[in-house]
Amino acid sequence: FYKESCKSQGYYAVFDGHCGNQAAIFCSNEFHRILFKHPLFCSDLQSAILETCKKVDDIFLKICRAKNINAGTTALGAIIRQNSLTVFGIGECQAVLSRYKSAMNMNKPHKPGRPDETKRVLDANGWITEEKELYMGRLHRMDLSDPLIVDKAKDVKWVTINRVCVEIALSRSIGDPDYQGFMCDDPFKTFFSWPANQN
């Protein structure tokens, strides 16, 4: 894109924090400010986003060390310029585009069970655990001696959850200083440009 195309655009982002809200609040306040000031913001949006992700992560990790914070956040954002949509994501967040009565996945979430993410974590001397859980909200409050509840529970399927080092159910994030060696050592591969006239 050229500078002319930077005059009219939209920026949208969601930051879903864990282990505290500090990372999500920091990113919601600062990510766009750093991105908009990036020298490549108008000419090479993908590089600007990638470098901004790394810079925001570096800044927040310094805050973590100074204030003894262990928080992290996922990131999911979209920038609309003229007839193109660029989406970026870090972590297990998912963007879906609804168009002409159909839904289309816009990114591939960073989950520890994904083969390429598993390899990256293992190569960094991390490990992946696998848990199986019933996908049923508030199970701990249900009376499992009630035949009706037991009957309904038979229809509930097991969900597999993979975790990095037994703890965290995503393989990339901003922050999370305890897991940085496993999560942020190579480029984020989560950029998608969608021309408006694409079928």
Side-chain angles (χ1 to χ4, degrees):
F1 294 103
Y2 298 100
K3 290 187 178 180
E4 188 65 27
S5 67
C6 284
K7 291 183 179 178
S8 178
Q9 60 193 342
Y11 164 86
Y12 308 90
V14 176
F15 301 99
D16 182 12
H18 46 266
C19 300
N21 63 4
Q22 298 96 329
I25 290 172
F26 176 79
C27 287
S28 66
N29 290 334
E30 300 300 327
F31 191 94
H32 63 287
R33 297 176 201 272
I34 295 168
L35 177 62
F36 295 166
K37 290 178 182 175
H38 194 284
L40 298 176
F41 180 64
C42 291
S43 61
D44 184 355
L45 183 57
Q46 292 184 10
S47 293
I49 292 170
L50 174 61
E51 291 174 16
T52 297
C53 289
K54 291 178 178 177
K55 183 172 184 178
V56 168
D57 189 48
D58 288 343
I59 294 169
F60 186 70
L61 287 172
K62 288 178 184 172
I63 294 170
C64 288
R65 286 190 288 274
K67 297 185 176 182
N68 197 25
I69 295 171
N70 290 308
T73 187
T74 62
L76 184 64
I79 296 172
I80 301 171
R81 278 193 188 162
Q82 295 179 350
N83 66 344
S84 290
L85 169 64
T86 300
V87 173
F88 65 92
I90 303 169
E92 86 278 40
C93 45
Q94 179 75 54
V96 177
L97 176 67
S98 177
R99 186 175 183 197
Y100 302 121
K101 298 182 181 180
S102 64
M104 180 187 315
N105 288 328
M106 299 286 290
N107 68 318
K108 194 173 179 184
H110 297 119
K111 294 186 177 183
R114 213 173 93 180
D116 58 335
E117 291 294 293
T118 297
K119 181 181 183 316
R120 194 171 55 78
V121 171
L122 296 177
D123 287 348
N125 296 318
W127 64 92
I128 306 291
T129 58
E130 181 178 291
E131 302 170 4
K132 291 198 179 284
E133 295 180 2
L134 284 174
Y135 189 71
M136 181 185 293
R138 304 188 184 275
L139 181 63
H140 62 283
R141 294 185 184 173
M142 295 182 183
D143 180 5
L144 295 178
S145 64
D146 184 329
L148 178 63
I149 292 174
V150 171
D151 185 56
K152 292 293 182 186
K154 290 177 185 175
D155 297 330
V156 178
K157 296 187 179 181
W158 288 97
V159 176
T160 300
I161 300 172
N162 296 106
R163 298 185 187 277
V164 175
C165 303
V166 192
E167 292 290 329
I168 193 164
L170 52 91
S171 52
R172 297 185 190 228
S173 65
I174 292 174
D176 287 314
D178 291 343
Y179 300 94
Q180 278 297 312
F182 311 125
M183 295 195 296
C184 290
D185 56 350
D186 63 354
F188 303 103
K189 298 172 183 172
T190 56
F191 301 105
F192 303 87
S193 292
W194 295 84
N197 59 0
Q198 181 179 359
N199 293 326

